[in-house]
Amino acid sequence: MYAEILEATVLNNTRFEKDPNKCLVYHILDDNRAPLTPEQVAVEWSAIGKGDDELAHRIRRSPTTVCAGGDAWVNVLIEVSRFLGYNKTFFDVLEGYYETASTAWPSITFDQVVERKPFKLHIDKGGFDYFVFSGGGNEILGCGVLQKLLKDRSAGNGSGKPEDYLMPDRLDAILAKLKEGYLDIARYVRNTSPGTQMLVHGYDYPVARADGPWLGRPFVRRSFDMGADKELIAEILAHVIDRFYGMLEEVSEKHANVTVVDIRNIVRGRWTDEMHPDLEASKDIAAFYRNVIDGYPSM
């Protein structure tokens, strides 16, 4: 059946699997379950109009031009993942309103984006009004990372403060590294395409699930009760997301070409899994972005 599904997609002979240890990261495999090489990925990317061979511009009602880069919050590879229960991302929705192009790829990590800068494909050409970027979620909420950030449930000594259940030095170190990466990207965009405004977000408050590989599993391993500690777990995750937004605000203060798009409390529990919004939530996030984009003068 899976082969039949793939025959109906653009990305023939390609498998799409979530990484249980890295939220927002997926493995793109061939029929022999071997990871695609960068060259093969380039072919697949081009097949959906997002590679070097074809700069995809979808001309819609607005003359505003928007490019994007980053992780699965921008591109969940809907041509394949929709058959696995995933929905369009907010950028998939935005593509219906603006002239767009994207280098976001679900198998890429934040470090790889900072190092390789695949978004250069579009930023170097200039002419884009906005650059939507999403990255860093795996670095603070990936299964292995979250488990290392969490203290054992008993170490919190019954505190009502979510930060008392986290390793503060580790969280500070992760955020410092992310800040350095965001500053690097912001400088590149500013120096290469001064007329492009960079729009960044810190995700929304996720909901850990008992069977969730990314969030639920680390809490269970740290002896949290997914039922009795539901509110505490939500507060801990909210604290991490809030700290992420604080880091982004610091980046924005240093670079006028960076705008933080605060989408907290938009999803409101409407998740496909622990970290990906469902379709209606994606539409609401896209509507929020549209208000931001259409509210700015052309840079």
Coordinates of all heavy atoms in Angstrom, one line a residue, residues 18-26 72-73 76 84-87 137-138 140-144 146-147 150 202-221 224 226 230 233-234 237-238 241 267-278 281 285:
K18 N 9.6 9.8 10.9 CA 10.0 10.7 12.0 C 11.1 10.1 12.7 O 11.2 8.9 12.9 CB 8.8 11.0 12.9 CG 8.4 9.8 13.7 CD 7.3 10.1 14.7 CE 6.0 10.5 14.1 NZ 4.9 10.7 15.1
D19 N 12.0 11.0 13.2 CA 13.1 10.6 14.1 C 12.6 10.6 15.5 O 12.2 11.6 16.0 CB 14.3 11.5 13.9 CG 15.5 11.1 14.6 OD1 15.4 10.5 15.7 OD2 16.6 11.3 14.1
P20 N 12.6 9.4 16.2 CA 12.1 9.4 17.6 C 12.9 10.2 18.6 O 12.4 10.5 19.7 CB 12.1 7.9 17.9 CG 13.2 7.3 17.0 CD 13.1 8.1 15.8
N21 N 14.1 10.5 18.2 CA 15.0 11.3 19.1 C 15.1 12.8 18.8 O 15.6 13.5 19.6 CB 16.4 10.7 19.1 CG 16.4 9.3 19.6 OD1 15.8 8.9 20.6 ND2 17.1 8.4 18.8
K22 N 14.6 13.2 17.6 CA 14.7 14.6 17.2 C 13.4 15.1 16.7 O 13.0 14.7 15.6 CB 15.8 14.7 16.1 CG 17.2 14.3 16.6 CD 18.2 14.5 15.4 CE 19.6 14.0 15.8 NZ 20.5 14.2 14.7
C23 N 12.7 15.9 17.5 CA 11.4 16.4 17.1 C 11.7 17.4 15.9 O 12.8 18.0 15.9 CB 10.7 17.1 18.2 SG 11.6 18.5 19.0
L24 N 10.8 17.5 15.0 CA 10.9 18.4 13.9 C 12.0 18.0 12.9 O 12.3 18.7 11.9 CB 11.2 19.9 14.3 CG 10.2 20.5 15.3 CD1 10.7 21.8 15.7 CD2 8.9 20.6 14.7
V25 N 12.5 16.8 13.0 CA 13.5 16.2 12.1 C 13.0 14.9 11.6 O 12.5 14.0 12.3 CB 14.8 16.0 12.7 CG1 15.8 15.3 11.8 CG2 15.4 17.4 13.1
Y26 N 13.0 14.7 10.3 CA 12.5 13.5 9.6 C 13.7 12.9 8.8 O 14.5 13.6 8.3 CB 11.3 13.7 8.8 CG 10.1 14.2 9.6 CD1 10.0 15.5 10.0 CD2 9.2 13.2 9.9 CE1 8.9 15.8 10.8 CE2 8.1 13.6 10.7 CZ 8.0 14.9 11.2 OH 6.9 15.3 11.9
A72 N 10.7 21.5 9.8 CA 9.5 20.9 9.4 C 8.3 21.7 9.7 O 7.2 21.5 9.3 CB 9.3 19.5 10.0
W73 N 8.4 22.8 10.5 CA 7.3 23.7 10.8 C 7.0 24.5 9.5 O 5.9 25.0 9.4 CB 7.6 24.6 12.0 CG 6.9 24.2 13.2 CD1 6.9 23.0 13.9 CD2 5.9 25.0 13.9 NE1 6.1 23.1 14.9 CE2 5.4 24.3 15.0 CE3 5.4 26.3 13.7 CZ2 4.5 24.7 15.9 CZ3 4.4 26.8 14.6 CH2 4.0 26.0 15.6
V76 N 6.8 20.2 5.9 CA 6.7 18.9 6.4 C 6.6 17.9 5.3 O 6.2 16.7 5.4 CB 5.5 18.8 7.3 CG1 4.2 18.7 6.6 CG2 5.6 17.6 8.3
L84 N 0.5 10.1 5.9 CA 0.9 9.6 7.2 C 0.1 10.4 8.3 O 0.4 10.2 9.5 CB 2.4 9.7 7.5 CG 3.2 9.0 6.4 CD1 4.7 9.2 6.7 CD2 2.9 7.5 6.3
G85 N -0.8 11.2 7.9 CA -1.6 11.9 8.9 C -1.2 13.4 9.2 O -1.8 14.0 10.0
Y86 N -0.2 13.9 8.5 CA 0.2 15.2 8.7 C -0.6 16.2 7.9 O -1.3 15.8 6.9 CB 1.7 15.4 8.4 CG 2.5 14.8 9.5 CD1 2.9 13.5 9.4 CD2 2.9 15.5 10.6 CE1 3.7 12.9 10.4 CE2 3.7 14.9 11.6 CZ 4.0 13.6 11.5 OH 4.8 13.0 12.5
N87 N -0.6 17.5 8.3 CA -1.4 18.5 7.6 C -0.4 19.6 7.1 O 0.8 19.6 7.4 CB -2.3 19.2 8.6 CG -3.3 18.2 9.2 OD1 -4.3 17.9 8.5 ND2 -3.1 17.8 10.4
G137 N 13.8 24.2 17.4 CA 12.9 23.5 18.2 C 13.5 22.1 18.7 O 13.3 21.7 19.9
N138 N 14.2 21.5 17.8 CA 14.8 20.2 18.2 C 15.9 20.4 19.2 O 16.1 19.5 20.1 CB 15.4 19.5 16.9 CG 16.0 18.2 17.3 OD1 15.3 17.3 17.8 ND2 17.3 18.0 17.1
I140 N 16.0 22.4 21.7 CA 15.5 22.6 23.1 C 14.5 21.5 23.5 O 14.3 21.3 24.7 CB 14.9 24.0 23.3 CG1 13.7 24.2 22.3 CG2 16.0 25.0 23.2 CD1 13.0 25.5 22.7
L141 N 13.8 20.9 22.5 CA 12.8 19.9 22.8 C 13.0 18.5 22.2 O 12.1 17.7 22.3 CB 11.4 20.5 22.4 CG 10.9 21.7 23.1 CD1 9.6 22.2 22.5 CD2 10.7 21.4 24.6
G142 N 14.1 18.3 21.5 CA 14.4 16.9 21.0 C 14.4 16.0 22.2 O 14.8 16.3 23.3
C143 N 14.0 14.7 22.0 CA 13.9 13.7 23.0 C 15.1 13.7 23.9 O 15.0 13.8 25.1 CB 13.6 12.4 22.4 SG 13.5 11.0 23.6
G144 N 16.3 13.5 23.3 CA 17.5 13.4 24.1 C 17.8 14.6 24.8 O 18.3 14.6 26.0
L146 N 15.7 17.1 25.8 CA 14.7 17.4 26.8 C 15.0 16.5 28.1 O 14.9 17.0 29.2 CB 13.3 17.2 26.3 CG 12.1 17.4 27.3 CD1 12.2 18.9 27.9 CD2 10.8 17.2 26.7
Q147 N 15.3 15.3 27.8 CA 15.6 14.4 29.0 C 16.8 14.9 29.8 O 16.8 14.8 31.0 CB 15.8 13.0 28.5 CG 15.9 12.0 29.6 CD 15.9 10.5 29.1 OE1 15.2 10.2 28.1 NE2 16.5 9.6 29.8
L150 N 15.7 18.0 31.9 CA 14.8 17.7 33.0 C 15.5 17.1 34.2 O 16.4 16.3 34.0 CB 13.7 16.7 32.6 CG 12.6 17.3 31.6 CD1 11.8 16.1 31.1 CD2 11.7 18.3 32.4
G202 N 9.1 31.3 17.8 CA 9.6 30.4 18.8 C 8.6 29.2 19.1 O 8.6 28.7 20.2
Y203 N 7.8 28.9 18.1 CA 6.8 27.8 18.1 C 5.7 28.2 19.1 O 5.6 29.3 19.5 CB 7.5 26.5 18.6 CG 8.7 26.1 17.7 CD1 10.0 26.5 18.1 CD2 8.5 25.5 16.5 CE1 11.1 26.2 17.3 CE2 9.6 25.2 15.7 CZ 10.9 25.5 16.1 OH 12.0 25.3 15.3
D204 N 4.8 27.2 19.4 CA 3.7 27.4 20.3 C 3.9 26.5 21.4 O 4.8 25.6 21.4 CB 2.4 27.3 19.6 CG 1.2 27.9 20.4 OD1 1.4 28.3 21.5 OD2 0.1 28.0 19.8
Y205 N 3.1 26.6 22.5 CA 3.2 25.7 23.6 C 2.7 24.3 23.3 O 1.6 24.1 23.0 CB 2.3 26.2 24.8 CG 2.7 27.6 25.3 CD1 1.8 28.6 25.5 CD2 4.0 27.9 25.6 CE1 2.1 29.8 25.9 CE2 4.4 29.1 26.1 CZ 3.4 30.1 26.2 OH 3.8 31.4 26.7
P206 N 3.7 23.3 23.2 CA 3.3 22.0 22.8 C 2.6 21.2 23.9 O 2.6 21.6 25.1 CB 4.7 21.3 22.5 CG 5.6 22.0 23.4 CD 5.1 23.4 23.5
V207 N 2.0 20.1 23.6 CA 1.3 19.3 24.6 C 2.0 17.9 24.6 O 2.0 17.2 23.6 CB -0.2 19.1 24.3 CG1 -0.8 18.2 25.3 CG2 -0.9 20.5 24.3
A208 N 2.6 17.5 25.7 CA 3.2 16.2 25.8 C 2.2 15.1 25.9 O 1.1 15.3 26.5 CB 4.1 16.1 27.1
R209 N 2.4 14.0 25.2 CA 1.5 12.9 25.2 C 2.2 11.7 25.8 O 3.4 11.5 25.6 CB 1.0 12.6 23.8 CG 0.3 13.7 23.1 CD -0.2 13.3 21.7 NE -0.9 14.4 21.0 CZ -1.4 14.3 19.8 NH1 -1.2 13.2 19.1 NH2 -2.0 15.4 19.3
A210 N 1.4 10.9 26.5 CA 2.0 9.7 27.1 C 2.7 8.8 26.2 O 3.7 8.2 26.5 CB 0.9 8.9 27.9
D211 N 2.2 8.7 24.9 CA 2.8 7.8 23.9 C 3.7 8.7 23.0 O 4.2 8.1 22.0 CB 1.8 7.1 23.1 CG 0.8 8.1 22.4 OD1 0.8 9.3 22.7 OD2 0.1 7.6 21.5
G212 N 4.0 9.9 23.3 CA 4.8 10.7 22.5 C 6.3 10.5 22.6 O 6.8 10.4 23.7
P213 N 6.9 10.3 21.4 CA 8.4 9.9 21.5 C 9.3 11.1 21.8 O 10.4 10.9 22.3 CB 8.6 9.5 20.0 CG 7.6 10.2 19.2 CD 6.4 10.3 20.1
W214 N 8.8 12.4 21.6 CA 9.6 13.5 21.7 C 9.5 14.2 23.1 O 10.5 14.5 23.7 CB 9.3 14.5 20.6 CG 9.5 14.0 19.3 CD1 10.6 13.2 18.9 CD2 8.7 14.2 18.1 NE1 10.5 13.0 17.5 CE2 9.3 13.6 17.0 CE3 7.5 14.9 17.9 CZ2 8.8 13.6 15.8 CZ3 7.0 15.0 16.6 CH2 7.6 14.3 15.6
L215 N 8.3 14.3 23.6 CA 8.0 15.0 24.8 C 7.6 14.1 26.0 O 8.1 14.2 27.1 CB 7.0 16.2 24.6 CG 7.3 17.1 23.5 CD1 6.2 18.2 23.4 CD2 8.6 17.8 23.6
G216 N 6.6 13.3 25.7 CA 6.1 12.4 26.7 C 7.1 11.5 27.3 O 7.2 11.3 28.5
R217 N 7.9 10.8 26.4 CA 8.9 9.8 26.8 C 9.9 10.4 27.8 O 10.2 9.8 28.8 CB 9.6 9.2 25.6 CG 10.5 8.1 26.0 CD 11.1 7.5 24.7 NE 10.1 7.0 23.8 CZ 10.3 6.7 22.5 NH1 11.5 7.0 22.0 NH2 9.3 6.3 21.7
P218 N 10.5 11.6 27.6 CA 11.5 12.1 28.5 C 10.8 12.4 29.9 O 11.5 12.2 30.9 CB 11.9 13.4 27.9 CG 11.7 13.2 26.4 CD 10.5 12.4 26.3
F219 N 9.6 12.9 29.9 CA 9.0 13.1 31.2 C 8.7 11.8 32.0 O 8.9 11.7 33.2 CB 7.6 13.9 31.0 CG 7.8 15.4 30.8 CD1 7.7 15.9 29.6 CD2 8.1 16.2 31.9 CE1 7.9 17.3 29.4 CE2 8.3 17.6 31.7 CZ 8.2 18.1 30.5
V220 N 8.3 10.8 31.3 CA 8.1 9.5 31.9 C 9.4 9.0 32.5 O 9.4 8.4 33.6 CB 7.4 8.5 30.9 CG1 7.4 7.1 31.5 CG2 6.0 8.9 30.5
R221 N 10.4 9.1 31.7 CA 11.7 8.6 32.1 C 12.3 9.4 33.3 O 13.1 8.9 34.1 CB 12.7 8.7 31.0 CG 12.5 7.6 29.9 CD 13.4 7.8 28.7 NE 13.2 6.7 27.7 CZ 13.8 6.7 26.5 NH1 14.6 7.7 26.2 NH2 13.6 5.7 25.7
F224 N 7.9 11.6 35.9 CA 6.7 12.4 36.0 C 5.5 11.5 35.7 O 5.5 10.6 34.9 CB 6.7 13.5 35.0 CG 7.7 14.7 35.3 CD1 9.0 14.5 35.2 CD2 7.2 15.8 35.9 CE1 9.9 15.5 35.5 CE2 8.0 16.9 36.2 CZ 9.4 16.7 36.1
M226 N 2.1 11.4 33.8 CA 1.5 12.1 32.7 C 0.1 12.6 33.0 O -0.5 13.5 32.3 CB 1.5 11.2 31.4 CG 2.9 10.9 30.9 SD 3.9 12.4 30.5 CE 3.0 13.1 29.1
K230 N 0.1 16.6 34.8 CA -0.3 17.2 33.5 C 0.0 18.8 33.5 O 0.6 19.3 32.6 CB -1.7 16.9 33.1 CG -2.1 17.5 31.8 CD -3.6 17.1 31.4 CE -4.0 17.7 30.1 NZ -5.4 17.3 29.7
I233 N 3.7 19.6 33.8 CA 4.4 19.3 32.6 C 4.2 20.5 31.6 O 5.1 20.9 30.9 CB 4.0 18.0 32.0 CG1 4.5 16.8 32.9 CG2 4.5 17.8 30.6 CD1 4.0 15.5 32.5
A234 N 2.9 20.9 31.5 CA 2.6 22.0 30.6 C 3.3 23.3 31.0 O 3.8 24.0 30.1 CB 1.1 22.2 30.6
L237 N 7.1 23.0 29.9 CA 7.2 23.2 28.4 C 7.0 24.7 28.1 O 7.7 25.2 27.2 CB 6.2 22.3 27.7 CG 6.5 20.8 27.7 CD1 5.4 20.0 27.1 CD2 7.9 20.5 27.1
A238 N 6.0 25.3 28.7 CA 5.8 26.7 28.4 C 7.0 27.6 28.9 O 7.3 28.5 28.2 CB 4.5 27.2 29.2
I241 N 9.6 27.3 26.1 CA 9.2 28.1 25.0 C 9.3 29.5 25.2 O 9.8 30.3 24.4 CB 7.8 27.7 24.5 CG1 7.7 26.3 24.0 CG2 7.2 28.7 23.5 CD1 8.5 26.0 22.7
V267 N -2.2 27.8 18.6 CA -2.6 26.4 18.3 C -3.7 25.9 19.3 O -4.6 25.3 18.9 CB -1.4 25.5 18.4 CG1 -1.8 24.0 18.2 CG2 -0.3 25.8 17.4
R268 N -3.5 26.2 20.6 CA -4.5 25.9 21.6 C -4.9 24.4 21.6 O -6.1 24.1 21.5 CB -5.8 26.8 21.5 CG -5.5 28.3 21.7 CD -6.8 29.1 21.7 NE -7.6 28.9 20.5 CZ -7.4 29.6 19.4 NH1 -6.4 30.5 19.3 NH2 -8.1 29.4 18.3
G269 N -3.9 23.6 21.6 CA -4.2 22.1 21.7 C -4.5 21.4 20.4 O -4.6 20.2 20.3
R270 N -4.5 22.2 19.3 CA -4.9 21.6 18.0 C -3.6 21.1 17.3 O -3.1 21.7 16.4 CB -5.6 22.6 17.1 CG -6.9 23.0 17.7 CD -7.5 24.2 16.9 NE -6.7 25.3 16.9 CZ -6.9 26.4 16.2 NH1 -7.9 26.4 15.3 NH2 -6.1 27.5 16.3
W271 N -3.1 19.9 17.8 CA -1.9 19.3 17.3 C -2.1 18.1 16.5 O -3.0 17.3 16.9 CB -0.9 19.1 18.4 CG -0.5 20.3 19.2 CD1 -1.1 20.7 20.4 CD2 0.6 21.2 18.9 NE1 -0.4 21.8 20.8 CE2 0.6 22.2 19.9 CE3 1.5 21.3 17.9 CZ2 1.5 23.2 20.0 CZ3 2.4 22.3 17.9 CH2 2.4 23.3 18.9
T272 N -1.3 17.8 15.5 CA -1.3 16.5 14.8 C -0.6 15.5 15.6 O -1.0 14.4 15.7 CB -0.7 16.6 13.4 OG1 -1.4 17.5 12.6 CG2 -0.6 15.3 12.7
D273 N 0.5 15.9 16.2 CA 1.2 15.1 17.2 C 1.7 16.0 18.3 O 1.0 17.0 18.5 CB 2.4 14.4 16.5 CG 3.3 15.3 15.7 OD1 3.3 16.5 16.0 OD2 4.0 14.8 14.8
E274 N 2.8 15.8 18.9 CA 3.3 16.6 20.0 C 3.8 18.0 19.5 O 3.8 18.9 20.3 CB 4.4 15.9 20.8 CG 3.9 14.7 21.5 CD 5.0 14.0 22.3 OE1 6.0 13.7 21.6 OE2 4.9 13.9 23.5
M275 N 4.2 18.1 18.3 CA 4.9 19.3 17.8 C 4.4 19.9 16.5 O 5.0 20.9 16.1 CB 6.4 19.0 17.7 CG 7.1 19.0 19.1 SD 7.2 20.5 20.0 CE 8.1 21.6 18.8
H276 N 3.4 19.3 15.9 CA 3.0 19.8 14.6 C 1.5 20.2 14.6 O 0.7 19.4 14.9 CB 3.3 18.8 13.5 CG 4.7 18.5 13.3 ND1 5.4 17.5 14.1 CD2 5.7 19.1 12.5 CE1 6.6 17.5 13.7 NE2 6.8 18.4 12.8
P277 N 1.2 21.5 14.3 CA -0.2 21.9 14.3 C -1.1 21.2 13.3 O -0.6 20.7 12.3 CB -0.1 23.4 13.9 CG 1.3 23.8 14.2 CD 2.1 22.6 13.9
D278 N -2.3 21.1 13.6 CA -3.3 20.5 12.6 C -3.6 21.6 11.6 O -3.1 22.7 11.7 CB -4.5 19.9 13.3 CG -5.5 20.9 13.9 OD1 -5.3 22.1 13.6 OD2 -6.3 20.5 14.7
A281 N -5.2 24.9 12.9 CA -4.2 25.7 13.6 C -3.2 26.4 12.6 O -2.8 27.5 12.8 CB -3.5 24.9 14.6
I285 N -2.3 30.3 12.2 CA -0.9 30.8 12.3 C -0.6 31.6 11.0 O 0.0 32.7 11.1 CB 0.1 29.7 12.5 CG1 -0.1 29.0 13.8 CG2 1.5 30.2 12.4 CD1 0.7 27.7 14.0

